[in-house]
Amino acid sequence: DAGVTQSPTHLIKTRGQQVTLRCSPISGHKSVSWYQQVLGQGPQFIFQYYEKEERGRGNFPDRFSARQFPNYSSELNVNALLLGDSALYLCASSPPYSGNTIYFGEGSWLTVV
Amino acid sequence: GENVEQHPSTLSVQEGDSAVIKCTYSDSASNYFPWYKQELGKRPQLIIDIRSNVGEKKDQRIAVTLNKTAKHFSLHITETQPEDSAVYFCAASPHGQAGTALIFGKGTTLSVSS
């Protein structure tokens, strides 16, 4: 079975631009979470979506938004990019009835210049 | 809110030795503690996890122990091999937060030399 898939794998954006990152969960998983991992740090929780509804949000500004589609795929949007938004953005999905067990995708490397 | 401290930040061992990484957490209501292994340029991979109703869990050369009273949990790797070299992250699931809102430690870089 395919794991969590994310696109694009790498991208470079200019300060002030907007970016959309995409994620497809493991087949059968209905919950998707987004994390930001800055170089040298552990992942930091941004959002969780379940059945198209936001179920949790981390300590990130309103420039960050997300949504989940009927097929359980998800998009993360970041507006007005700052240099500090440069990071690996990880999507994770959770199997049904697993509570908080999450499996990460390979991530999208975002560089803001 | 929950805070997870991880030690040491770097660990070097000889092949065949054991390695131990320790994490402490602050929220006594946290109930789920996973460990992830991240190789350079790769995604974090779940290697083992433990829930608060269990004190120890093993999977081949890897084990995790949990001390709820002291609020700490540890990863034990026995008979280390060069392919165990990676960054290891512990995490905790705080009570009252979104189910998948894990709080991660800052990571331990494990180097296994042959």
Side-chain angles (χ1 to χ4, degrees):
Chain A
D1 285 342
V4 177
T5 57
Q6 293 186 243
S7 64
T9 54
H10 295 81
L11 68 167
I12 300 173
K13 290 287 188 177
T14 304
R15 277 176 298 175
Q17 284 189 316
Q18 174 264 343
V19 67
T20 298
L21 308 177
R22 296 175 176 81
C23 169
S24 292
I26 295 170
S27 177
H29 291 193
K30 299 181 179 181
S31 173
V32 169
S33 305
W34 287 94
Y35 283 76
Q36 181 196 64
Q37 187 176 25
V38 174
L39 202 61
Q41 300 290 322
Q44 188 173 1
F45 174 73
I46 310 175
F47 286 111
Q48 181 197 2
Y49 276 78
Y50 178 75
E51 293 281 13
K52 297 180 290 181
E53 290 190 5
E54 181 182 306
R55 294 299 181 95
R57 182 185 184 117
N59 187 25
F60 280 81
D62 291 344
R63 299 186 295 108
F64 289 76
S65 63
R67 55 179 175 168
Q68 187 178 32
F69 300 98
N71 66 353
Y72 305 112
S73 67
S74 178
E75 287 182 351
L76 175 70
N77 295 284
V78 187
N79 294 323
L81 285 167
L82 304 174
L83 296 179
D85 294 331
S86 296
L88 176 65
Y89 288 85
L90 294 161
C91 177
S93 71
S94 303
Y97 314 115
S98 71
N100 26 29
T101 302
I102 63 172
Y103 299 96
F104 287 105
E106 294 292 348
S108 294
W109 290 93
L110 171 65
T111 301
V112 182
V113 297
Chain B
E2 174 66 284
N3 183 50
V4 176
E5 300 280 345
Q6 184 171 348
H7 300 280
S9 56
T10 60
L11 180 59
S12 296
V13 299
Q14 291 285 322
E15 182 178 2
D17 288 349
S18 294
V20 180
I21 303 170
K22 299 181 180 179
C23 288
T24 60
Y25 60 97
S26 59
D27 184 354
S28 58
S30 289
N31 56 12
Y32 174 66
F33 308 92
W35 286 89
Y36 287 83
K37 173 184 180 182
Q38 188 173 29
E39 297 175 9
L40 192 63
K42 300 284 190 177
R43 64 186 173 94
Q45 276 190 289
L46 178 66
I47 56 172
I48 195 166
D49 56 11
I50 192 167
R51 299 194 181 270
S52 58
N53 59 346
V54 176
E56 184 177 3
K57 184 176 178 181
K58 290 182 180 180
D59 183 3
Q60 299 182 339
R61 297 185 297 109
I62 294 174
V64 56
T65 58
L66 172 64
N67 184 325
K68 287 190 295 182
T69 303
K71 290 189 286 188
H72 67 71
F73 56 112
S74 300
L75 177 71
H76 305 254
I77 305 175
T78 59
E79 301 173 21
T80 54
Q81 301 167 3
E83 51 264 39
D84 294 329
S85 296
V87 180
Y88 290 80
F89 292 98
C90 63
S93 180
H95 179 70
Q97 299 295 314
T100 59
L102 300 178
I103 304 300
F104 283 81
K106 292 188 175 181
T108 295
T109 301
L110 174 64
S111 299
V112 181
S113 54
S114 56

